[in-house]
mmCIF file of all heavy atoms in Angstrom:
data_model
loop_
_atom_site.group_PDB
_atom_site.id
_atom_site.type_symbol
_atom_site.label_atom_id
_atom_site.label_comp_id
_atom_site.label_asym_id
_atom_site.label_seq_id
_atom_site.Cartn_x
_atom_site.Cartn_y
_atom_site.Cartn_z
ATOM 1 N N ILE A 29 -7.424 2.521 0.365
ATOM 2 C CA ILE A 29 -6.392 3.386 0.932
ATOM 3 C C ILE A 29 -6.413 4.729 0.207
ATOM 4 O O ILE A 29 -6.346 4.787 -1.023
ATOM 5 C CB ILE A 29 -4.999 2.744 0.798
ATOM 6 C CG1 ILE A 29 -4.979 1.357 1.441
ATOM 7 C CG2 ILE A 29 -3.927 3.635 1.407
ATOM 8 C CD1 ILE A 29 -3.693 0.600 1.245
ATOM 9 N N GLY A 30 -6.520 5.805 0.955
ATOM 10 C CA GLY A 30 -6.415 7.124 0.364
ATOM 11 C C GLY A 30 -7.662 7.642 -0.312
ATOM 12 O O GLY A 30 -7.621 8.701 -0.959
ATOM 13 N N LEU A 31 -8.795 6.953 -0.179
ATOM 14 C CA LEU A 31 -10.064 7.400 -0.741
ATOM 15 C C LEU A 31 -11.173 7.130 0.264
ATOM 16 O O LEU A 31 -11.167 6.091 0.941
ATOM 17 C CB LEU A 31 -10.383 6.675 -2.054
ATOM 18 C CG LEU A 31 -9.467 6.938 -3.252
ATOM 19 C CD1 LEU A 31 -9.794 5.985 -4.387
ATOM 20 C CD2 LEU A 31 -9.573 8.383 -3.712
ATOM 21 N N ASP A 32 -12.144 8.040 0.350
ATOM 22 C CA ASP A 32 -13.275 7.785 1.235
ATOM 23 C C ASP A 32 -14.353 7.008 0.493
ATOM 24 O O ASP A 32 -14.160 6.570 -0.650
ATOM 25 C CB ASP A 32 -13.820 9.089 1.824
ATOM 26 C CG ASP A 32 -14.435 10.009 0.760
ATOM 27 O OD1 ASP A 32 -14.676 9.555 -0.381
ATOM 28 O OD2 ASP A 32 -14.677 11.196 1.073
ATOM 29 N N GLU A 33 -15.519 6.831 1.124
ATOM 30 C CA GLU A 33 -16.579 6.019 0.561
ATOM 31 C C GLU A 33 -17.113 6.589 -0.745
ATOM 32 O O GLU A 33 -17.666 5.860 -1.581
ATOM 33 C CB GLU A 33 -17.730 5.865 1.566
ATOM 34 C CG GLU A 33 -17.374 5.096 2.834
ATOM 35 C CD GLU A 33 -16.581 5.950 3.831
ATOM 36 O OE1 GLU A 33 -16.409 7.177 3.568
ATOM 37 O OE2 GLU A 33 -16.121 5.411 4.848
ATOM 38 N N GLU A 34 -16.979 7.898 -0.954
ATOM 39 C CA GLU A 34 -17.461 8.547 -2.167
ATOM 40 C C GLU A 34 -16.374 8.682 -3.235
ATOM 41 O O GLU A 34 -16.616 9.281 -4.292
ATOM 42 C CB GLU A 34 -18.011 9.939 -1.830
ATOM 43 C CG GLU A 34 -19.164 9.925 -0.839
ATOM 44 C CD GLU A 34 -20.376 9.203 -1.394
ATOM 45 O OE1 GLU A 34 -20.613 9.307 -2.614
ATOM 46 O OE2 GLU A 34 -21.075 8.525 -0.614
ATOM 47 N N GLY A 35 -15.193 8.162 -2.954
ATOM 48 C CA GLY A 35 -14.104 8.272 -3.911
ATOM 49 C C GLY A 35 -13.319 9.555 -3.822
ATOM 50 O O GLY A 35 -12.470 9.833 -4.681
ATOM 51 N N ASN A 36 -13.559 10.366 -2.779
ATOM 52 C CA ASN A 36 -12.808 11.606 -2.595
ATOM 53 C C ASN A 36 -11.469 11.306 -1.923
ATOM 54 O O ASN A 36 -11.387 10.431 -1.051
ATOM 55 C CB ASN A 36 -13.609 12.586 -1.738
ATOM 56 C CG ASN A 36 -14.935 12.946 -2.379
ATOM 57 O OD1 ASN A 36 -14.985 13.307 -3.550
ATOM 58 N ND2 ASN A 36 -16.016 12.841 -1.611
ATOM 59 N N PRO A 37 -10.403 12.027 -2.302
ATOM 60 C CA PRO A 37 -9.074 11.693 -1.772
ATOM 61 C C PRO A 37 -8.912 12.027 -0.297
ATOM 62 O O PRO A 37 -9.425 13.037 0.190
ATOM 63 C CB PRO A 37 -8.128 12.550 -2.630
ATOM 64 C CG PRO A 37 -8.982 13.663 -3.141
ATOM 65 C CD PRO A 37 -10.355 13.106 -3.300
ATOM 66 N N LEU A 38 -8.209 11.156 0.397
ATOM 67 C CA LEU A 38 -7.742 11.382 1.759
ATOM 68 C C LEU A 38 -6.218 11.405 1.730
ATOM 69 O O LEU A 38 -5.601 10.720 0.901
ATOM 70 C CB LEU A 38 -8.240 10.272 2.693
ATOM 71 C CG LEU A 38 -9.751 10.190 2.898
ATOM 72 C CD1 LEU A 38 -10.128 8.903 3.625
ATOM 73 C CD2 LEU A 38 -10.260 11.397 3.666
ATOM 74 N N PRO A 39 -5.576 12.178 2.595
ATOM 75 C CA PRO A 39 -4.116 12.319 2.504
ATOM 76 C C PRO A 39 -3.391 11.020 2.848
ATOM 77 O O PRO A 39 -3.727 10.343 3.815
ATOM 78 C CB PRO A 39 -3.803 13.413 3.526
ATOM 79 C CG PRO A 39 -4.951 13.385 4.494
ATOM 80 C CD PRO A 39 -6.155 13.002 3.687
ATOM 81 N N ILE A 40 -2.409 10.691 2.028
ATOM 82 C CA ILE A 40 -1.503 9.580 2.326
ATOM 83 C C ILE A 40 -0.186 10.182 2.778
ATOM 84 O O ILE A 40 0.519 10.836 1.995
ATOM 85 C CB ILE A 40 -1.304 8.668 1.109
ATOM 86 C CG1 ILE A 40 -2.639 8.004 0.729
ATOM 87 C CG2 ILE A 40 -0.249 7.609 1.400
ATOM 88 C CD1 ILE A 40 -2.544 7.097 -0.468
ATOM 89 N N VAL A 41 0.130 9.997 4.044
ATOM 90 C CA VAL A 41 1.313 10.629 4.634
ATOM 91 C C VAL A 41 2.589 9.994 4.093
ATOM 92 O O VAL A 41 3.515 10.681 3.655
ATOM 93 C CB VAL A 41 1.259 10.525 6.173
ATOM 94 C CG1 VAL A 41 2.499 11.157 6.786
ATOM 95 C CG2 VAL A 41 -0.016 11.173 6.703
ATOM 96 N N ALA A 42 2.648 8.681 4.112
ATOM 97 C CA ALA A 42 3.846 7.967 3.660
ATOM 98 C C ALA A 42 3.497 6.504 3.479
ATOM 99 O O ALA A 42 2.479 6.010 3.993
ATOM 100 C CB ALA A 42 4.993 8.128 4.665
ATOM 101 N N GLY A 43 4.338 5.812 2.742
ATOM 102 C CA GLY A 43 4.099 4.395 2.529
ATOM 103 C C GLY A 43 5.322 3.708 1.959
ATOM 104 O O GLY A 43 6.271 4.348 1.486
ATOM 105 N N ALA A 44 5.290 2.390 2.000
ATOM 106 C CA ALA A 44 6.379 1.575 1.464
ATOM 107 C C ALA A 44 5.802 0.293 0.894
ATOM 108 O O ALA A 44 4.795 -0.235 1.391
ATOM 109 C CB ALA A 44 7.407 1.257 2.546
ATOM 110 N N ARG A 45 6.450 -0.191 -0.164
ATOM 111 C CA ARG A 45 6.072 -1.482 -0.756
ATOM 112 C C ARG A 45 7.348 -2.224 -1.124
ATOM 113 O O ARG A 45 8.248 -1.666 -1.763
ATOM 114 C CB ARG A 45 5.209 -1.274 -1.998
ATOM 115 C CG ARG A 45 4.845 -2.595 -2.706
ATOM 116 C CD ARG A 45 4.032 -2.342 -3.967
ATOM 117 N NE ARG A 45 4.740 -1.484 -4.891
ATOM 118 C CZ ARG A 45 4.168 -0.509 -5.598
ATOM 119 N NH1 ARG A 45 2.888 -0.265 -5.474
ATOM 120 N NH2 ARG A 45 4.899 0.238 -6.420
ATOM 121 N N TYR A 46 7.422 -3.466 -0.714
ATOM 122 C CA TYR A 46 8.569 -4.314 -1.047
ATOM 123 C C TYR A 46 8.051 -5.534 -1.799
ATOM 124 O O TYR A 46 7.058 -6.165 -1.392
ATOM 125 C CB TYR A 46 9.306 -4.756 0.222
ATOM 126 C CG TYR A 46 10.421 -5.745 -0.037
ATOM 127 C CD1 TYR A 46 11.666 -5.310 -0.498
ATOM 128 C CD2 TYR A 46 10.225 -7.110 0.161
ATOM 129 C CE1 TYR A 46 12.691 -6.212 -0.751
ATOM 130 C CE2 TYR A 46 11.247 -8.022 -0.081
ATOM 131 C CZ TYR A 46 12.474 -7.568 -0.543
ATOM 132 O OH TYR A 46 13.486 -8.457 -0.796
ATOM 133 N N VAL A 47 8.723 -5.876 -2.905
ATOM 134 C CA VAL A 47 8.315 -7.024 -3.722
ATOM 135 C C VAL A 47 9.543 -7.846 -4.065
ATOM 136 O O VAL A 47 10.581 -7.298 -4.483
ATOM 137 C CB VAL A 47 7.606 -6.562 -5.013
ATOM 138 C CG1 VAL A 47 7.394 -7.740 -5.956
ATOM 139 C CG2 VAL A 47 6.277 -5.908 -4.691
ATOM 140 N N TYR A 48 9.426 -9.149 -3.887
ATOM 141 C CA TYR A 48 10.481 -10.094 -4.253
ATOM 142 C C TYR A 48 9.876 -11.124 -5.210
ATOM 143 O O TYR A 48 8.833 -11.720 -4.920
ATOM 144 C CB TYR A 48 11.036 -10.803 -3.016
ATOM 145 C CG TYR A 48 12.034 -11.896 -3.324
ATOM 146 C CD1 TYR A 48 13.400 -11.618 -3.385
ATOM 147 C CD2 TYR A 48 11.618 -13.204 -3.558
ATOM 148 C CE1 TYR A 48 14.320 -12.623 -3.667
ATOM 149 C CE2 TYR A 48 12.526 -14.220 -3.845
ATOM 150 C CZ TYR A 48 13.874 -13.921 -3.897
ATOM 151 O OH TYR A 48 14.791 -14.904 -4.187
ATOM 152 N N ARG A 49 10.534 -11.325 -6.349
ATOM 153 C CA ARG A 49 10.085 -12.320 -7.328
ATOM 154 C C ARG A 49 11.258 -13.187 -7.730
ATOM 155 O O ARG A 49 12.359 -12.680 -7.999
ATOM 156 C CB ARG A 49 9.492 -11.650 -8.572
ATOM 157 C CG ARG A 49 8.199 -10.870 -8.331
ATOM 158 C CD ARG A 49 7.666 -10.291 -9.635
ATOM 159 N NE ARG A 49 6.467 -9.500 -9.481
ATOM 160 C CZ ARG A 49 5.232 -9.969 -9.537
ATOM 161 N NH1 ARG A 49 5.033 -11.265 -9.725
ATOM 162 N NH2 ARG A 49 4.189 -9.170 -9.401
ATOM 163 N N SER A 50 11.036 -14.500 -7.796
ATOM 164 C CA SER A 50 12.077 -15.418 -8.234
ATOM 165 C C SER A 50 11.412 -16.631 -8.879
ATOM 166 O O SER A 50 10.186 -16.731 -8.948
ATOM 167 C CB SER A 50 12.950 -15.857 -7.052
ATOM 168 O OG SER A 50 12.240 -16.748 -6.209
ATOM 169 N N VAL A 51 12.238 -17.556 -9.318
ATOM 170 C CA VAL A 51 11.713 -18.766 -9.943
ATOM 171 C C VAL A 51 10.906 -19.581 -8.940
ATOM 172 O O VAL A 51 9.891 -20.187 -9.279
ATOM 173 C CB VAL A 51 12.872 -19.614 -10.515
ATOM 174 C CG1 VAL A 51 12.355 -20.931 -11.068
ATOM 175 C CG2 VAL A 51 13.608 -18.836 -11.599
ATOM 176 N N GLN A 52 11.316 -19.581 -7.668
ATOM 177 C CA GLN A 52 10.666 -20.426 -6.671
ATOM 178 C C GLN A 52 9.496 -19.736 -5.976
ATOM 179 O O GLN A 52 8.498 -20.390 -5.647
ATOM 180 C CB GLN A 52 11.671 -20.876 -5.599
ATOM 181 C CG GLN A 52 12.741 -21.833 -6.085
ATOM 182 C CD GLN A 52 13.877 -21.121 -6.804
ATOM 183 O OE1 GLN A 52 14.112 -19.925 -6.582
ATOM 184 N NE2 GLN A 52 14.560 -21.837 -7.671
ATOM 185 N N ARG A 53 9.603 -18.427 -5.726
ATOM 186 C CA ARG A 53 8.600 -17.801 -4.871
ATOM 187 C C ARG A 53 8.473 -16.320 -5.181
ATOM 188 O O ARG A 53 9.383 -15.694 -5.746
ATOM 189 C CB ARG A 53 8.958 -17.991 -3.401
ATOM 190 C CG ARG A 53 10.270 -17.354 -2.990
ATOM 191 C CD ARG A 53 10.692 -17.770 -1.585
ATOM 192 N NE ARG A 53 10.903 -19.197 -1.495
ATOM 193 C CZ ARG A 53 12.062 -19.793 -1.793
ATOM 194 N NH1 ARG A 53 13.084 -19.079 -2.218
ATOM 195 N NH2 ARG A 53 12.185 -21.092 -1.677
ATOM 196 N N ASN A 54 7.333 -15.765 -4.793
ATOM 197 C CA ASN A 54 7.067 -14.333 -4.894
ATOM 198 C C ASN A 54 6.469 -13.881 -3.566
ATOM 199 O O ASN A 54 5.582 -14.555 -3.029
ATOM 200 C CB ASN A 54 6.082 -14.034 -6.024
ATOM 201 C CG ASN A 54 6.528 -14.572 -7.363
ATOM 202 O OD1 ASN A 54 7.516 -14.126 -7.919
ATOM 203 N ND2 ASN A 54 5.806 -15.562 -7.886
ATOM 204 N N TYR A 55 6.961 -12.781 -3.037
ATOM 205 C CA TYR A 55 6.345 -12.262 -1.817
ATOM 206 C C TYR A 55 6.537 -10.755 -1.753
ATOM 207 O O TYR A 55 7.363 -10.173 -2.477
ATOM 208 C CB TYR A 55 6.884 -12.954 -0.562
ATOM 209 C CG TYR A 55 8.375 -12.880 -0.356
ATOM 210 C CD1 TYR A 55 8.981 -11.759 0.216
ATOM 211 C CD2 TYR A 55 9.188 -13.963 -0.704
ATOM 212 C CE1 TYR A 55 10.343 -11.706 0.425
ATOM 213 C CE2 TYR A 55 10.559 -13.918 -0.501
ATOM 214 C CZ TYR A 55 11.130 -12.791 0.068
ATOM 215 O OH TYR A 55 12.484 -12.737 0.267
ATOM 216 N N GLY A 56 5.757 -10.126 -0.896
ATOM 217 C CA GLY A 56 5.858 -8.679 -0.785
ATOM 218 C C GLY A 56 5.056 -8.157 0.383
ATOM 219 O O GLY A 56 4.281 -8.884 1.020
ATOM 220 N N GLY A 57 5.243 -6.884 0.668
ATOM 221 C CA GLY A 57 4.525 -6.242 1.758
ATOM 222 C C GLY A 57 4.253 -4.784 1.440
ATOM 223 O O GLY A 57 4.987 -4.150 0.677
ATOM 224 N N ILE A 58 3.168 -4.267 1.995
ATOM 225 C CA ILE A 58 2.791 -2.860 1.854
ATOM 226 C C ILE A 58 2.509 -2.304 3.238
ATOM 227 O O ILE A 58 1.814 -2.945 4.038
ATOM 228 C CB ILE A 58 1.539 -2.695 0.972
ATOM 229 C CG1 ILE A 58 1.808 -3.177 -0.457
ATOM 230 C CG2 ILE A 58 1.079 -1.239 0.947
ATOM 231 C CD1 ILE A 58 0.575 -3.142 -1.349
ATOM 232 N N LEU A 59 3.035 -1.117 3.504
ATOM 233 C CA LEU A 59 2.752 -0.405 4.756
ATOM 234 C C LEU A 59 2.418 1.031 4.384
ATOM 235 O O LEU A 59 3.224 1.718 3.756
ATOM 236 C CB LEU A 59 3.952 -0.457 5.694
ATOM 237 C CG LEU A 59 3.778 0.221 7.068
ATOM 238 C CD1 LEU A 59 2.698 -0.495 7.878
ATOM 239 C CD2 LEU A 59 5.101 0.233 7.833
ATOM 240 N N MET A 60 1.210 1.487 4.747
ATOM 241 C CA MET A 60 0.760 2.828 4.369
ATOM 242 C C MET A 60 0.166 3.530 5.586
ATOM 243 O O MET A 60 -0.507 2.902 6.420
ATOM 244 C CB MET A 60 -0.307 2.768 3.269
ATOM 245 C CG MET A 60 0.091 2.017 2.012
ATOM 246 S SD MET A 60 1.373 2.838 1.035
ATOM 247 C CE MET A 60 0.505 4.296 0.479
ATOM 248 N N ARG A 61 0.403 4.837 5.652
ATOM 249 C CA ARG A 61 -0.174 5.674 6.699
ATOM 250 C C ARG A 61 -1.076 6.709 6.038
ATOM 251 O O ARG A 61 -0.618 7.545 5.252
ATOM 252 C CB ARG A 61 0.917 6.377 7.497
ATOM 253 C CG ARG A 61 0.406 7.360 8.546
ATOM 254 C CD ARG A 61 -0.396 6.685 9.645
ATOM 255 N NE ARG A 61 -0.746 7.643 10.702
ATOM 256 C CZ ARG A 61 -1.483 7.342 11.761
ATOM 257 N NH1 ARG A 61 -1.952 6.107 11.916
ATOM 258 N NH2 ARG A 61 -1.747 8.268 12.678
ATOM 259 N N GLN A 62 -2.356 6.622 6.337
ATOM 260 C CA GLN A 62 -3.348 7.547 5.793
ATOM 261 C C GLN A 62 -3.705 8.580 6.844
ATOM 262 O O GLN A 62 -4.047 8.249 7.982
ATOM 263 C CB GLN A 62 -4.599 6.771 5.372
ATOM 264 C CG GLN A 62 -5.751 7.623 4.894
ATOM 265 C CD GLN A 62 -6.965 6.772 4.592
ATOM 266 O OE1 GLN A 62 -6.973 5.983 3.654
ATOM 267 N NE2 GLN A 62 -8.006 6.897 5.412
ATOM 268 N N GLY A 63 -3.620 9.846 6.480
ATOM 269 C CA GLY A 63 -3.967 10.912 7.402
ATOM 270 C C GLY A 63 -5.473 11.070 7.543
ATOM 271 O O GLY A 63 -6.255 10.489 6.799
ATOM 272 N N GLY A 64 -5.868 11.877 8.480
ATOM 273 C CA GLY A 64 -7.281 12.107 8.726
ATOM 274 C C GLY A 64 -7.735 13.477 8.265
ATOM 275 O O GLY A 64 -6.946 14.290 7.781
ATOM 276 N N ASP A 65 -9.033 13.736 8.415
ATOM 277 C CA ASP A 65 -9.597 15.055 8.165
ATOM 278 C C ASP A 65 -10.711 15.282 9.182
ATOM 279 O O ASP A 65 -10.761 14.606 10.219
ATOM 280 C CB ASP A 65 -10.090 15.195 6.721
ATOM 281 C CG ASP A 65 -11.170 14.185 6.356
ATOM 282 O OD1 ASP A 65 -11.758 13.562 7.269
ATOM 283 O OD2 ASP A 65 -11.448 14.024 5.156
ATOM 284 N N ALA A 66 -11.626 16.187 8.904
ATOM 285 C CA ALA A 66 -12.649 16.539 9.884
ATOM 286 C C ALA A 66 -13.569 15.379 10.222
ATOM 287 O O ALA A 66 -14.128 15.330 11.322
ATOM 288 C CB ALA A 66 -13.473 17.723 9.358
#
């Protein structure tokens, strides 16, 4: 996310990450929007 094949940066427009941790369970989610270029 946010890098091309050569390791050059690509724009990240916005994103979110949610993480829940407890004694019984751990879960989470990531949603990211990567912009384009030429």
